[in-house]
Amino acid sequence: MPSSAPESPVRGFRHASVLLDGAVEALVHDPAGAYLDGTFGRGGHSRAILERLAPEGRLLAIDRDPQAVAEAGGITDARFTIERGEFARLGEIAERHGLHGRLAGVLLDVGVSSPQLDDAERGFSFLRDGPLDMRMDPDHGESAAGFLARASEGEIVRVFKTYGEERFARRLARAIVARRAERPFERTADLAEVVKAAHPAWEKGKHPATRVFQALRIQVNGELEQLDAALEAALEALAPGGHLVVISFHSLEDRRVKCFIRDHVRGDTDLPRGVPLRDDQLKRRLEALGKARRPSAEEVQENPRARSAVMRVARKRY
């Protein structure tokens, strides 16, 4: 969830929430309702939601990054609560707070945040040398270095193809496996240089390691599986009439969101046509609210990382 708002007190990294006004406007349709921000980040969306809530409104936020949770400590609003955890678990987290099936809206701002990209110690960026980590939750799971140390060449190819849509996945995987036989990958700059040297066709304006780093990040954090689980959980956690707002940053994510909403808008297409049935009998559980929305030219100029953002909005029928 790349972004840009005021400078974060956490280690001085800046973060601006993409599609801030549009997302909050689409989300908050009942100021007295309870809402869930599944990706707190540095709190740009959460703070804007709180500004729109009535005194009886409520906001529950989730993030698996300990630095994001630390940032949330600066919000003293009694209507606000944050839990550290994966947004795939938003259903059980909402239930623990007595909000399951009662949420007026769920916001998911998917992907990596600007502070994560900009902090070399997190290992997300090929532009900054740091430990080859890439975990959104640095206390759990396998790092990118760990994956590259133990994965077979075939598995690395699969990850680069599937999650990075890298045309030269096999060639790059071969170069990585050959180099790790000499010494393991431990630094981002080291991996970026090996990929750069092995890549035969650089795209104009794009670092040759871009797709490899994206693929490793998605693999390490289980991002697509997390998104699938979060969408299903959000549908169940919403109250009838509740709004689902999802902001994604690349086609792999957006396709999943688009298909999820489309499938629940269409419902059970195997039933006979022309038979008078209610929406619940057709299992049409969502209504799309408008078309996909993108940031304005002004927002992209101010925050270039917003250029690929896509926002989709739906309302739960029942």
Side-chain angles (χ1 to χ4, degrees):
M1 57 193 163
S3 311
S4 121
E7 184 171 297
S8 164
V10 178
R11 307 185 67 173
F13 294 102
R14 289 180 58 81
H15 179 78
S17 298
V18 172
L19 291 161
L20 178 64
D21 294 334
V24 175
E25 183 178 347
L27 182 75
V28 182
H29 59 98
D30 174 12
Y35 294 85
L36 187 145
D37 181 353
T39 44
F40 179 81
R42 292 303 181 265
H45 286 120
S46 281
R47 290 182 175 88
I49 292 167
L50 288 168
E51 288 178 1
R52 287 177 176 253
L53 292 186
E56 62 271 31
R58 189 171 173 188
L59 175 61
L60 172 62
I62 302 170
D63 208 293
R64 54 173 156 172
D65 188 329
Q67 291 181 13
V69 176
E71 170 78 6
I75 299 179
T76 57
D77 195 314
R79 300 169 300 173
F80 175 78
T81 307
I82 189 165
E83 276 216 22
R84 182 179 174 185
E86 301 170 342
F87 68 5
R89 296 175 45 240
L90 70 84
E92 62 187 83
I93 292 172
E95 189 164 9
R96 192 154 58 240
H97 289 266
L99 297 176
H100 195 267
R102 297 175 51 203
L103 291 170
V106 172
L107 170 65
L108 302 175
D109 185 4
V110 185
V112 67
S113 70
S114 287
Q116 289 169 333
L117 283 171
D118 294 338
D119 185 353
E121 293 302 306
R122 301 302 297 273
F124 285 98
S125 177
F126 45 80
L127 298 176
R128 297 170 177 83
D129 185 35
L132 187 58
D133 194 315
M134 298 195 192
R135 290 173 295 171
M136 293 178 182
D137 180 349
D139 298 327
H140 297 92
E142 181 179 50
S143 69
F147 172 76
L148 289 180
R150 60 96 184 149
S152 67
E153 182 177 320
E155 189 173 2
I156 296 172
V157 171
R158 178 190 64 79
V159 167
F160 289 177
K161 278 186 176 180
T162 305
Y163 299 149
E165 299 177 300
E166 174 56 68
R167 289 167 54 207
F168 302 100
R170 191 165 300 282
R171 179 170 180 157
L172 299 181
R174 191 181 307 124
I176 286 169
V177 169
R179 213 314 296 277
R180 80 178 181 192
E182 302 170 13
R183 67 182 189 279
F185 288 95
E186 296 178 347
R187 309 287 297 182
T188 55
D190 185 19
L191 175 62
E193 282 302 312
V194 169
V195 172
K196 186 177 176 181
H199 206 295
W202 297 12
E203 298 176 57
K204 186 177 180 180
K206 182 177 285 190
H207 193 287
T210 300
R211 295 179 183 275
V212 164
F213 271 65
Q214 172 185 299
L216 286 172
R217 192 200 80 219
I218 292 173
Q219 164 68 25
V220 164
N221 294 290
E223 291 180 36
L224 299 185
E225 296 83 1
Q226 285 274 324
L227 176 58
D228 289 342
L231 291 170
E232 294 290 350
L235 181 58
E236 299 305 322
L238 284 167
H243 289 193
L244 173 64
V245 179
V246 187
I247 302 170
S248 56
F249 288 86
H250 57 73
S251 59
L252 293 175
E253 298 167 340
D254 184 53
R255 277 199 297 269
R256 277 174 148 77
V257 178
K258 180 180 179 180
C259 290
F260 177 83
I261 292 174
R262 180 200 63 200
D263 290 348
H264 285 286
V265 167
R266 290 178 178 176
D268 191 344
T269 55
D270 292 332
L271 292 172
R273 290 189 176 186
V275 178
L277 295 171
R278 300 188 307 272
D279 282 334
D280 60 334
Q281 292 173 310
L282 289 168
K283 299 180 182 178
R284 291 176 178 164
R285 302 196 66 192
L286 288 176
E287 171 191 2
L289 298 181
K291 297 181 179 179
R293 307 174 208 181
R294 297 180 182 274
S296 65
E298 292 77 16
E299 181 172 2
V300 173
Q301 185 174 10
E302 183 178 330
N303 178 18
R305 285 174 177 165
R307 65 186 178 277
S308 61
V310 180
M311 181 174 75
R312 297 184 185 273
V313 185
R315 178 190 292 125
K316 182 175 176 177
R317 291 177 181 268
Y318 67 91

